[in-house]
Amino acid sequence: MGYRAKHIVILFFLAIINSYGQISPGDLSQAHADLEGISNCTLCHDLGDKVSDKKCLECHTEIQSLINKNRGYHAERSVKNRDCFECHGDHHGRNFEMTRFDEDNFDHDLTGYELEGRHEEVDCRKCHVSENIVDSDIKKRKNTFLGLDETCLSCHDDYHQKTLSNTCIDCHTMDGFKPAPKFDHEEADFQLKGEHANVDCLECHQVTTRNGKEFQEFTDLSFNDCISCHDDPHNDQLAGQCTQCHTESAFSDFIGKGNFDHDLTEFTLRGKHKSEDCFSCHSYSNDPLEVFQDRSNVNENSCVTCHADIHDGKYGNECVKCHRESSFLSLRKMDFFDHTTTDYPLEGKHQGVDCRQCHDKRFSTPIDFTACSNCHDDYHRGEFQENNVTPDCVECHSLENGFDYSLFTLEEHQETQFPLEGAHMATPCFACHVSEDNDRWTFKNLGGTCVDCHQDIHQGYISEKYYPKDDCTVCHINDAWTAVDFDHDQTEWPLSGKHTEVSCRECHFAEIADAKTDSNQKFANLDTACIACHENIHDETFAIDGITDCTRCHVTSSWFPETFNHDLTDFPLEGIHAKIQCSACHEVTNAKGKIEVIYKIQKFRCIDCHLQ
């Protein structure tokens, strides 16, 4: 800017200062009174332009903050896009009210807080008062609509005095504090059932006074036992909780059978005593002070107090020594009885058998114990029978280890029609002797050939010439299936060199995406050309009539071209040429810097390889 332009601007401002009284539209409102004066105009106005919204929000940071948080009336889209002065004019005098709108028709939804229920009927000034504003700066303003919190307790007193959640709308609606339609007593620690559902709330939730204010108790109520609210008609003569015998539907409904904890008494119920009706032992009485009190001094070990002694005292009065409370017919293990005094002392597994397993009649009834089969079924169903005689179990089994253990040894197995060799010696018995059809052990008619137990994966793939009668032993041995001993010289393609080291599967099993499967075998009509299995890295370089015969240069012992004769080429090797490495002539660096092998050289002039 030149000197003349600067001078004009200075004169312009001097003129404004001298004529402020003529250009000012009027006094500012009381809220903006501290901005009065020509030197403060640019605090709100841009030179030559209207009032700047940016400058308004630089002072009214609480509005800017709400806009940034996308909250409140000023953040609403239709309001946010308007200029501040459209609603808040000034220069209309000190007493001008800058916030002016039709309160009766104001759409409160634009503020982000929808008025519902009773809130629709409340006058604006009932809520928008300084007492409900937390921010100390906003609280000082008169007639402001800013600073309110949406939480109920920011406007309303906490009737529950911090005994319940601060989120009032969990239980109440905007229609009023009473009743509380959202409250579900099923979610409380005490669900209402039976007659409790019909009781008036005030019966349990008393209205009292706390801190000088009306207060109704909803928490810290004791309900661990019925006597917290109800009188005990039994005067503490019956221990336990009321719910063991009574229901919430009515005290007269008795459900004590099977529910009452009889262990709290001096007589613990066991076995059949648990299923007995209470009044089969106790006299029936409607008097709560007498009911169930008539057997209070009975010794639980004195059975004859209640039961008749069918043995007429022959075995004494200690019934529990032999009998169980589950049933008189169910005897104990009778460990006290010394079985060695009989003709059959108990040994091994027999010692743990319940007496009734053998003594299905009276204990004094004789038992024939001359053979195991007198008590035990023949699990093997006659498999070991010879001349109509079945050997006794003791020939293979013992009382110490039971039937799951066999005394039959490996040495004895070697005397059978199928001696164990190789991997068969490490195979668990059940792998061969447990039938997959019925999960039973069997030892007869198992077969003696490989295919009797193993799946024949080669069936239909190998010629009868090399696989006579599906005999696996032609190629395999018992040590492992992978150990193959087949004489390939029998075929039209004897193996030599490296081929003798290759696994059979490499040539005879086709490889698929994720595995080599037995269904992709091929043993006949395989192509014997090298390129049928190996990659032809020479492409058509050495092809004759379209066929590349690798054997012209290579042998099976290695890939080195041992049979290649350079003298048969257009450039026989002589002199020093016969001593240098092949790579000296046949490897060149291409344009990309990579080594490239060229087997057929087109020119043989010295200058093509040697520098002059």
Side-chain angles (χ1 to χ4, degrees):
M1 181 183 293
Y3 171 78
R4 181 178 176 81
K6 291 181 179 179
H7 185 67
I8 292 173
V9 171
I10 293 171
L11 292 176
F12 174 74
F13 275 105
L14 290 174
I16 291 175
I17 293 172
N18 293 330
S19 59
Y20 173 70
Q22 285 79 28
I23 66 174
S24 175
D27 293 338
L28 294 174
S29 64
Q30 186 63 41
H32 290 160
D34 59 331
L35 302 178
E36 196 75 74
I38 192 68
S39 61
N40 294 327
C41 294
T42 54
L43 295 177
C44 299
H45 298 272
D46 288 332
L47 280 177
D49 203 352
K50 59 186 179 181
V51 175
S52 170
D53 291 345
K54 180 180 179 182
K55 290 185 176 183
C56 293
L57 295 175
E58 286 176 354
C59 283
H60 296 280
T61 56
E62 71 283 356
I63 301 296
Q64 181 66 68
S65 176
L66 288 171
I67 294 175
N68 293 341
K69 297 176 182 178
N70 198 28
R71 290 175 50 198
Y73 175 75
H74 293 90
E76 204 280 327
R77 184 173 59 181
S78 62
V79 179
K80 184 178 180 180
N81 295 329
R82 299 173 64 184
D83 290 321
C84 301
F85 64 79
E86 292 185 39
C87 298
H88 305 287
D90 207 342
H91 286 292
H92 300 297
R94 287 286 190 268
N95 298 323
F96 180 72
E97 187 177 354
M98 294 183 64
T99 303
R100 303 168 63 86
F101 63 92
D102 186 355
E103 296 183 7
D104 294 334
N105 297 313
F106 178 69
D107 185 1
H108 209 282
D109 292 352
L110 299 178
T111 66
Y113 185 80
E114 180 183 357
L115 297 182
E116 304 175 56
R118 297 293 292 276
H119 282 161
E120 291 182 313
E121 306 170 6
V122 178
D123 183 82
C124 305
R125 300 299 175 182
K126 289 287 185 180
C127 296
H128 294 281
V129 293
S130 60
E131 289 82 358
N132 297 336
I133 300 174
V134 176
D135 189 287
S136 57
D137 292 333
I138 300 177
K139 191 179 187 75
K140 297 175 183 178
R141 301 183 184 183
K142 295 182 179 180
N143 301 326
T144 182
F145 289 92
L146 299 175
L148 292 189
D149 195 324
E150 294 184 5
T151 59
C152 303
L153 296 183
S154 64
C155 295
H156 301 279
D157 293 334
D158 183 5
Y159 176 82
H160 302 296
Q161 299 189 34
K162 297 183 179 181
T163 59
L164 295 178
S165 168
N166 292 334
T167 311
C168 305
I169 57 175
D170 286 345
C171 299
H172 302 278
T173 65
M174 301 296 183
D175 294 328
F177 284 115
K178 294 182 180 181
K182 291 185 178 181
F183 175 71
D184 185 1
H185 216 291
E186 289 299 312
E187 297 180 1
D189 293 335
F190 186 82
Q191 288 79 38
L192 300 181
K193 301 176 183 177
E195 283 298 312
H196 283 147
N198 301 323
V199 176
D200 187 88
C201 304
L202 291 174
E203 290 291 325
C204 300
H205 300 285
Q206 301 293 323
V207 177
T208 61
T209 300
R210 177 182 289 188
N211 298 323
K213 297 181 180 179
E214 181 183 288
F215 176 77
Q216 190 170 9
E217 297 177 325
F218 290 100
T219 59
D220 299 327
L221 297 178
S222 178
F223 51 83
N224 294 328
D225 203 345
C226 302
I227 58 175
S228 299
C229 297
H230 302 277
D231 294 332
D232 180 10
H234 303 296
N235 290 340
D236 294 329
Q237 294 186 37
L238 293 179
Q241 295 183 345
C242 306
T243 54
Q244 291 180 347
C245 296
H246 302 281
T247 69
E248 291 174 278
S249 300
F251 280 117
S252 58
D253 291 342
F254 178 74
I255 58 170
K257 182 179 178 181
N259 292 325
F260 177 70
D261 186 4
H262 217 281
D263 292 349
L264 298 174
T265 70
E266 296 178 355
F267 194 99
T268 303
L269 298 183
R270 301 183 183 91
K272 281 291 184 178
H273 285 147
K274 288 184 177 181
S275 60
E276 287 295 319
D277 185 85
C278 303
F279 295 106
S280 65
C281 296
H282 296 283
S283 299
Y284 187 84
S285 173
N286 289 324
D287 187 348
L289 297 178
E290 294 181 1
V291 67
F292 303 127
Q293 304 302 307
D294 54 324
R295 293 274 185 176
S296 57
N297 296 319
V298 174
N299 189 333
E300 62 181 9
N301 292 321
S302 180
C303 303
V304 293
T305 302
C306 298
H307 302 279
D309 181 8
I310 62 172
H311 302 299
D312 296 327
K314 294 180 180 179
Y315 302 112
N317 293 328
E318 295 183 60
C319 306
V320 295
K321 189 175 181 181
C322 299
H323 297 281
R324 301 174 183 273
E325 289 176 274
S326 56
S327 170
F328 279 118
L329 299 179
S330 176
L331 298 181
R332 296 185 181 278
K333 292 182 179 179
M334 301 184 73
D335 296 334
F336 66 92
F337 183 74
D338 185 5
H339 218 281
T340 59
T341 59
T342 69
D343 294 333
Y344 191 80
L346 299 182
E347 299 175 0
K349 292 293 184 179
H350 281 160
Q351 293 178 335
V353 177
D354 185 83
C355 303
R356 282 300 180 189
Q357 291 292 106
C358 300
H359 298 279
D360 54 351
K361 299 178 181 179
R362 297 182 63 87
F363 287 112
S364 57
T365 301
I367 296 177
D368 184 3
F369 50 81
T370 56
C372 302
S373 58
N374 292 336
C375 292
H376 301 279
D377 294 332
D378 180 12
Y379 177 87
H380 303 295
R381 300 176 181 176
E383 283 188 353
F384 299 110
Q385 190 179 82
E386 293 184 7
N387 299 324
N388 295 323
V389 177
T390 300
D392 199 25
C393 308
V394 294
E395 295 188 18
C396 294
H397 302 284
S398 69
L399 287 172
E400 286 72 23
N401 298 300
F403 287 117
D404 292 336
Y405 180 82
S406 175
L407 301 176
F408 190 78
T409 64
L410 178 61
E411 289 74 14
E412 291 178 281
H413 205 293
Q414 303 304 84
E415 300 298 325
T416 67
Q417 296 178 359
F418 193 85
L420 299 180
E421 300 175 356
H424 284 152
M425 297 185 69
T427 303
C429 305
F430 66 82
C432 299
H433 292 288
V434 176
S435 171
E436 295 183 359
D437 296 332
N438 52 21
D439 196 29
R440 279 187 56 84
W441 287 81
T442 183
F443 298 90
K444 294 290 185 179
N445 303 320
L446 298 180
T449 64
C450 302
V451 294
D452 288 330
C453 294
H454 302 279
Q455 180 184 4
D456 184 5
I457 65 172
H458 300 307
Q459 188 175 18
Y461 290 98
I462 301 180
S463 169
E464 174 72 15
K465 175 183 177 181
Y466 306 112
Y467 190 29
K469 299 180 180 180
D470 296 338
D471 184 8
C472 304
T473 59
V474 173
C475 298
H476 298 281
I477 59 177
N478 284 331
D479 292 339
W481 285 116
T482 55
V484 178
D485 187 21
F486 175 71
D487 183 8
H488 220 280
D489 292 344
Q490 301 178 56
T491 69
E492 297 176 357
W493 207 74
L495 299 180
S496 62
K498 291 291 183 179
H499 287 154
T500 61
E501 304 172 7
V502 177
S503 169
C504 306
R505 300 184 71 92
E506 294 294 326
C507 301
H508 295 289
F509 284 76
E511 184 174 353
I512 58 176
D514 58 348
K516 294 177 180 178
T517 63
D518 298 338
S519 61
N520 288 273
Q521 312 174 45
K522 190 173 183 180
F523 289 90
N525 301 320
L526 270 72
D527 193 342
T528 58
C530 300
I531 60 175
C533 296
H534 302 282
E535 180 184 3
N536 180 11
I537 64 173
H538 303 304
D539 295 327
E540 300 297 323
T541 302
F542 298 106
I544 299 177
D545 296 331
I547 299 175
T548 300
D549 183 9
C550 304
T551 59
R552 297 208 318 268
C553 300
H554 299 281
V555 295
T556 58
S557 59
S558 71
W559 284 114
F560 188 79
E562 294 184 10
T563 59
F564 176 69
N565 188 355
H566 215 289
D567 293 341
L568 300 178
T569 68
D570 294 336
F571 191 82
L573 298 180
E574 300 175 351
I576 294 299
H577 285 154
K579 299 179 180 180
I580 63 176
Q581 295 288 333
C582 304
S583 59
C585 298
H586 292 284
E587 289 187 0
V588 297
T589 303
N590 60 22
K592 295 182 179 180
K594 295 183 178 181
I595 300 298
E596 184 177 349
V597 179
I598 299 176
Y599 291 99
K600 289 189 176 182
I601 300 174
Q602 302 299 322
K603 298 181 293 183
F604 305 109
R605 297 177 303 171
C606 298
I607 62 174
D608 293 329
C609 296
H610 302 282
L611 297 175
Q612 293 182 347

